[in-house]
Amino acid sequence: MYSIRRWFVTTNHKDIGILYTVTALFFLVFGGILALMMRLELWAPGANVMPAESYNQAVSAHGLIMVFWFLSPLAFGFANYVVPLQIGAKDLAFPRLNALSYWLYLFSGILMGVSFFQGGTFNGGWTMYAPLNMPVYTPELGGSTAVLALLLFVTSATVGSVNFLTTMHRMRAEGLTMRRLPLFTWSILLTVWMMLFAFAALLAALLLLSSDRLIGTGYFADSSPGGSMLWAHLFWFFGHPEVYIVFFPALGAMAEVFQTFCGRRIVGRKWFIGAMLLVALQSFVVWMHHMFLTSINLEIKTLFMATTIGISLPFDLMVFALIYTMLKGKIRFKTPFLFGFGALVLFILGGITGVFLGAVVLDYTLRGTYWVVAHFHYVMVGGVTGLIGGLYYWFPKMTGRMYDERLGKINFGMYFVGFNLLYFPMFIAWETPRRVFEYAPGLTAWHQVSTIGAFLLGASFLVLFYNLFDSLYSGEPVDGNPWDYASTAEWTVPSPPPLENFPGIPTYASGALTFDGGDHASTDGGTVHGADAALTGETDHETGHDEAESHASFWPFVIGVGGFLLLLGLSGLQQGSFPTGTAGGMYAGLSVVGGLTLFGSLVGMTRESFHGPEGPFGESWPFTGVENTKLGMWIFLASDVVLFGAFIGAYVFSRVAYGWQDWHHLIPAEHVVLPGLINTYLLLTSSFAVVLAMVFAQRNSRLGVVGSLVATFGLGVGFLVNKGIEWQHLFHVHSEAFPQGWELSTNIASTTFYVTTGLHGLHVIVGLIITLYMILRAWNGAYLDDDAPIEYFGLYWHFVDIVWLFLFPLFYIL
């Protein structure tokens, strides 16, 4: 059962949770080693340990790896394992997509590692500020590979977001209303909603940056009007919600730990949830405080100063709720609680010091110093502290073994002391410029204390790993619930849980957690009921055991391999072509092999007979009448709205920065309205053809369905052919103003036109591939008894058409 093959084909949420957790801990070690190298360099001023270029790479890669490949994935290891158990579900809504999300994450991290061996990885800081993110400043292929690795990671996060949101909104147990969701599940729900939109903005920024680096466009070049500001807006629209994306799961884990080890519910539970919801909404309106040092006018800065300080108020409420829970409860100082309490202390200090940065005047002095570094780590690594508490808390559930409590407390002592020795001196030595290895000699002692703290903190993780690894084999066996007051549903089943999670269908309809015929669920200390039941969830009487559910698929792994090879090959692109010679041929070959593998595996996955959890389910408000696949499609399209919104916003921002009317001087007279008008008619007609396909499916007309889909396909191909003719004509425009033609890199107007309409064209191509596949199936009689697939495809195709209705006036009329 635990063979190596099992881990490559599993789609079970518990296995995926373990894979996420173990992989995230590996990247913790990766990023931690880079951090220790940096601290050795900072033992004394000057480049004494490694060259300046290597230090820049270490700083940049440490930030990227810790933020993207460690923090969020560790949280989602717990989320994968625990959330379906807490809501009474057998698995996530789309098990294969869950596995795909993991493999894309793993291969994105491997791609990041490969970047070190391509002349050096990205060295422009983890925020990748423009124009330092351009090839002229970071010319190594490894820099491009790091950007593409982030692209693959964001794709993984988007796939996971769609899956989690569909699951939590559609697959809750009977009686588990939104108000009654466990606090950890609430934290994941809000985190994933933030991820859906924030990562879409980051995806747009990375696609634009990849375009600049690989094919020579000019969004962020020195010559681009407002290019550096454009990157800052796009990045920080993602970057500030990312702080809460990282911290919310830790906050949810802390809430579960506090309830269990204080022996009572969180004080003011509904206000705690309301505060989290308010923070999630506010997180998207505070990004500009990262740009207080720019030329943005003072009125706007003052507004964002108010929103920045305002977002701290809901956190005050959550902090007081945790403090009052301790005061009103009876605390048991077990290892999970110690880490949870430590996280609270560290976060309070991080939050207070962050308020300083939220003030415009103080920010002018503190920005770019080690005050920011210290504040950032007290918040982000404070979140790590809470997640380590969650790791100890759910370790018995995942393994069926208890960790060594004595080693756990030693681990906490080393961790807490090492943490504060590392980061608190940075507040005192705040005048040190961040990302620089030179500093005033008078600050040397404080940096040496920090370095000692860094190695003590690193040693604490060795204790953690030893404790968990040794306990995995020799720890005291745990059958179900080792904690006296744990009341969430994951503790009502054996540890580790069986494949199908529950012995029957969990429900809280009676006010107590029961399965099938009404047997009460044991928590090794009583029945979960009454007020405690409100902390957990409920399932559904309507559902029976799903027939022949599948739990294995090899295709997600193969798709991950294909994506990895494709992006590794594309990293060799320079100015739109592969360089001559052996290296160029190798990268081109990898691109071809990766592309074919990716396409073939996607087709193989669609052809695979796979049966996941089916409904109807218990609680699905507000999506009771929406099927899982339809809801997943709507959620994906919501993310795509942000993606296209960012691309369109980049066009508008660049045009305003250049001059709205002066923009016309950048466009040749040959760029006329007619091709765009023809394409508008083609796409609108194709949408009508999709509607006809649904009508014919409902009328049981096979030829009608096939004919309508063929018409959709033909009109889509016509769109692409017309677009190709237009592009070819504009490429070869030769006039006095454009002697070299109007190409991708001619000016910012050509860049925004080709890249934005090109992204839309890629969506059309994806739609045509799906259409061709559906035509083949429709010819064999599919969809006559079930027109849902046509409806789901129609949602996508209509969205693509609607986007064009925005692009047409922007690029052809205005």
Side-chain angles (χ1 to χ4, degrees), residues 106-117:
L106 174 63
F107 282 111
S108 70
I110 295 173
L111 196 61
M112 181 66 192
V114 170
S115 69
F116 282 86
F117 302 95

Side-chain angles (χ1 to χ4, degrees), residues 2 41 88 103 108 129 146 178 188 235 244 261 267 279 316 433 466 475 503 568 581 633 646 648 668 709 753 756 780:
Y2 284 90
E41 180 61 70
W103 289 114
S108 70
Y129 279 144
M178 295 293 293
I188 296 299
F235 183 86
Y244 309 113
F261 294 100
V267 173
V279 169
D316 296 340
Y466 174 79
L568 180 58
M633 178 60 75
I648 292 171
L709 291 175
F753 171 74
T756 309
N780 293 320

Side-chain angles (χ1 to χ4, degrees), residues 717-736:
V717 170
F719 173 90
L720 291 178
V721 169
N722 186 50
K723 174 61 66 178
I725 293 171
E726 179 193 18
W727 279 23
Q728 187 71 10
H729 176 64
L730 292 173
F731 282 157
H732 295 90
V733 164
H734 294 293
S735 63
E736 184 177 346

Side-chain angles (χ1 to χ4, degrees), residues 384-623:
V384 174
T385 311
L387 291 177
I388 295 174
L391 181 59
Y392 274 111
Y393 180 63
W394 282 303
F395 179 80
K397 174 55 55 183
M398 293 180 174
T399 65
R401 300 277 184 172
M402 179 56 72
Y403 61 86
D404 186 312
E405 182 66 40
R406 182 179 63 85
L407 280 179
K409 290 179 177 177
I410 292 173
N411 178 198
F412 171 74
M414 294 174 63
Y415 179 97
F416 197 76
V417 172
F419 181 102
N420 286 286
L421 279 179
L422 169 58
Y423 295 117
F424 194 82
M426 296 182 186
F427 287 122
I428 302 172
W430 67 270
E431 293 176 294
T432 305
R434 63 190 301 197
R435 303 195 186 107
V436 176
F437 49 74
E438 289 283 1
Y439 55 85
L443 303 176
T444 301
W446 295 114
H447 280 285
Q448 290 178 348
V449 171
S450 285
T451 300
I452 293 169
F455 279 88
L456 180 58
L457 181 63
S460 75
F461 283 104
L462 296 179
V463 176
L464 168 68
F465 296 147
Y466 174 79
N467 190 357
L468 299 186
F469 185 79
D470 182 65
S471 300
L472 182 63
Y473 295 99
S474 60
E476 180 183 348
V478 173
D479 178 43
N481 182 7
W483 314 122
D484 292 335
Y485 294 97
S487 58
T488 43
E490 74 269 27
W491 299 109
T492 65
V493 295
S495 300
L499 181 64
E500 301 290 348
N501 290 346
F502 300 101
I505 301 173
T507 175
Y508 283 91
S510 64
L513 176 59
T514 59
F515 301 113
D516 280 333
D519 293 333
H520 288 280
S522 171
T523 60
D524 288 354
T527 300
V528 181
H529 59 84
D532 288 332
L535 292 175
T536 61
E538 304 126 72
T539 317
D540 186 1
H541 284 313
E542 299 177 61
T543 56
H545 288 288
D546 299 333
E547 296 295 331
E549 285 187 7
S550 305
H551 297 283
S553 175
F554 194 60
W555 293 115
F557 169 74
V558 182
I559 292 172
V561 172
F564 168 77
L565 293 176
L566 175 62
L567 293 183
L568 180 58
L570 291 179
S571 69
L573 277 174
Q574 298 177 28
Q575 297 295 314
S577 62
F578 294 101
T580 58
T582 304
M586 180 191 70
Y587 282 113
L590 284 173
S591 299
V592 173
V593 172
L596 293 175
T597 302
L598 181 61
F599 179 77
S601 55
L602 285 169
V603 172
M605 187 163 155
T606 62
R607 301 295 298 161
E608 181 181 45
S609 177
F610 188 92
H611 302 282
E614 298 179 359
F617 305 101
E619 300 293 339
S620 301
W621 183 90
F623 304 106

Side-chain angles (χ1 to χ4, degrees), residues 323-344:
I323 292 173
Y324 276 112
T325 300
M326 289 188 290
L327 292 176
K328 292 180 177 291
K330 185 177 181 181
I331 300 174
R332 288 176 304 282
F333 289 95
K334 300 291 187 179
T335 301
F337 177 80
L338 291 175
F339 275 96
F341 178 72
L344 178 62

Side-chain angles (χ1 to χ4, degrees), residues 254-330:
M254 290 163 59
E256 299 289 0
V257 167
F258 271 59
Q259 290 182 136
T260 296
F261 294 100
C262 294
R264 62 156 298 131
R265 283 170 45 126
I266 288 289
V267 173
R269 182 178 186 274
K270 65 180 180 180
W271 297 106
F272 192 95
I273 294 171
M276 286 198 297
L277 181 60
L278 190 58
V279 169
L281 294 173
Q282 285 182 271
S283 68
F284 289 95
V285 294
V286 297
W287 83 91
M288 209 178 293
H289 74 239
H290 293 276
M291 293 179 277
F292 279 167
L293 267 64
T294 65
S295 58
I296 297 171
N297 68 63
L298 184 59
E299 289 78 8
I300 297 295
K301 291 178 181 178
T302 303
L303 173 64
F304 276 83
M305 180 178 72
T307 61
T308 300
I309 295 174
I311 203 172
S312 67
L313 300 179
F315 274 112
D316 296 340
L317 190 154
M318 288 185 272
V319 166
F320 282 118
L322 293 172
I323 292 173
Y324 276 112
T325 300
M326 289 188 290
L327 292 176
K328 292 180 177 291
K330 185 177 181 181

